[in-house]
Amino acid sequence: MSNMLALEFESACSIRRESEGLTEPSGLALAPDGSLWTVCDESRRLFRISTEGEPLSTLEIDNRGLEGITFDAEGRVCVVDEDASKIIVYDPQTGAQIAARKLKDLEGFCAIAEYFEAVENKGLEGITFDPLRSEILLLKQANPGLLIAITARLDRITAVDHLDERNGFAANKLDAEQLNFSGMCYDAARDLFWILNDKAECVYTYDRRRGTVIQSFALKNSQTGRTIRDAEGIAVDVESKRLYVVSDLDAELNVFRIGER
């Protein structure tokens, strides 16, 4: 990637549907059909919406406490349960559970076990799929922030990145205390990860090959002048050059255009 990126705010709309349980979206993913899927940690449902924020369908599932969502190479829905540090795979048509695996049961977990002994609600917060390497990536929120790569078979941890000031996430002690990773997605066009920090109200682009942050962007609604509060879900559409961010607190879908400069 030779050119630096730019983010331009385009629009925001409410996706709150209290009658259906869509109140605090805490994850976001772009589906193979171009729609967006989100989860709420207080609801036993998966929600499918359009890129304009219109409700399309809901899917009943058997789990709460979900904090992230993605699609694997087979088009199956993969989510993370923060409370149980678990990855769950669902059929996107029926909501039937296909697989479930606790992080502690994966080969290689011993290398990061100490970071999950007393997470105090700082556990798994995001999930995404890297089709170039056929890996699923998990995001640990803080204390410390981690990017954990596992096999698509959900059987082994292949790599772990510490997300801290050493690779560009914080320049000083004050910034380090504000590191709180809340969601992520993989950008296959640029081989980068977009990683949300809800406390700092920003998003980073992270190059895993080099182990470094490339850029950071403030998350702001330029029409109202307000920052986007509690951003907890993010998805990128490389074809339309759009970045979608959901706010947990306001239940809003925010749309940004990705450009170059």
Side-chain angles (χ1 to χ4, degrees), residues 130-135 186 191 193 208-209:
D130 177 351
L132 298 183
R133 300 167 184 85
S134 191
E135 289 180 329
Y186 176 69
D191 196 13
F193 292 86
R208 185 177 159 216
R209 294 166 301 168

Coordinates of all heavy atoms in Angstrom, one line a residue, residues 130-135 186 191 193 208-209:
D130 N -9.6 -13.6 7.7 CA -8.6 -13.2 6.7 C -8.5 -14.3 5.6 O -8.0 -15.4 5.8 CB -7.2 -13.1 7.4 CG -6.1 -12.8 6.5 OD1 -6.3 -12.9 5.2 OD2 -4.9 -12.6 6.9
P131 N -9.1 -14.0 4.5 CA -9.2 -15.1 3.4 C -7.8 -15.3 2.7 O -7.6 -16.4 2.2 CB -10.2 -14.5 2.4 CG -10.1 -13.0 2.6 CD -9.9 -12.8 4.1
L132 N -6.9 -14.4 2.8 CA -5.6 -14.5 2.2 C -4.8 -15.6 2.9 O -4.0 -16.4 2.3 CB -4.8 -13.2 2.2 CG -5.4 -12.1 1.4 CD1 -4.5 -10.9 1.4 CD2 -5.7 -12.5 -0.1
R133 N -5.0 -15.7 4.2 CA -4.2 -16.7 5.0 C -5.1 -17.8 5.6 O -4.7 -18.6 6.3 CB -3.5 -16.0 6.2 CG -2.5 -14.9 5.6 CD -2.0 -14.0 6.7 NE -1.1 -13.0 6.1 CZ -1.6 -11.8 5.6 NH1 -2.9 -11.6 5.6 NH2 -0.7 -11.0 5.1
S134 N -6.4 -17.7 5.3 CA -7.4 -18.6 5.8 C -7.3 -18.7 7.3 O -7.3 -19.8 7.9 CB -7.2 -20.0 5.2 OG -8.4 -20.9 5.5
E135 N -7.4 -17.6 8.0 CA -7.3 -17.5 9.4 C -8.4 -16.7 10.0 O -8.9 -15.7 9.3 CB -6.0 -16.9 9.9 CG -4.7 -17.7 9.7 CD -3.5 -17.0 10.1 OE1 -3.4 -15.8 10.0 OE2 -2.5 -17.7 10.5
Y186 N -11.3 -7.0 8.7 CA -10.1 -7.2 7.8 C -10.4 -6.6 6.4 O -11.5 -6.8 5.9 CB -9.8 -8.7 7.7 CG -8.6 -8.9 6.7 CD1 -7.3 -8.6 7.0 CD2 -8.9 -9.5 5.5 CE1 -6.3 -8.8 6.1 CE2 -7.8 -9.8 4.6 CZ -6.5 -9.4 4.9 OH -5.5 -9.6 4.0
D191 N -4.8 -5.6 2.7 CA -4.2 -6.4 3.6 C -3.9 -5.7 5.0 O -2.8 -5.7 5.5 CB -2.9 -7.0 3.1 CG -2.4 -8.3 3.9 OD1 -3.2 -8.8 4.7 OD2 -1.2 -8.7 3.7
F193 N -5.9 -4.3 8.8 CA -7.0 -4.4 9.8 C -7.5 -3.0 10.2 O -6.6 -2.2 10.5 CB -6.6 -5.2 11.0 CG -6.3 -6.7 10.7 CD1 -5.1 -7.1 10.3 CD2 -7.3 -7.6 10.9 CE1 -4.8 -8.4 10.0 CE2 -7.0 -9.0 10.6 CZ -5.8 -9.4 10.2
R208 N -0.5 -6.1 9.9 CA 0.0 -7.2 10.7 C 1.4 -7.8 10.2 O 2.2 -8.3 11.0 CB -1.0 -8.3 10.7 CG -0.8 -9.5 11.5 CD -1.9 -10.5 11.5 NE -1.5 -11.8 11.9 CZ -1.9 -12.9 11.4 NH1 -2.8 -12.9 10.4 NH2 -1.5 -14.1 11.8
R209 N 1.6 -7.7 8.9 CA 2.9 -8.1 8.4 C 4.1 -7.4 9.0 O 5.1 -7.9 9.3 CB 2.9 -8.0 6.9 CG 1.9 -8.8 6.1 CD 1.8 -8.4 4.7 NE 1.4 -7.0 4.6 CZ 1.4 -6.2 3.5 NH1 1.9 -6.7 2.4 NH2 1.0 -5.0 3.6

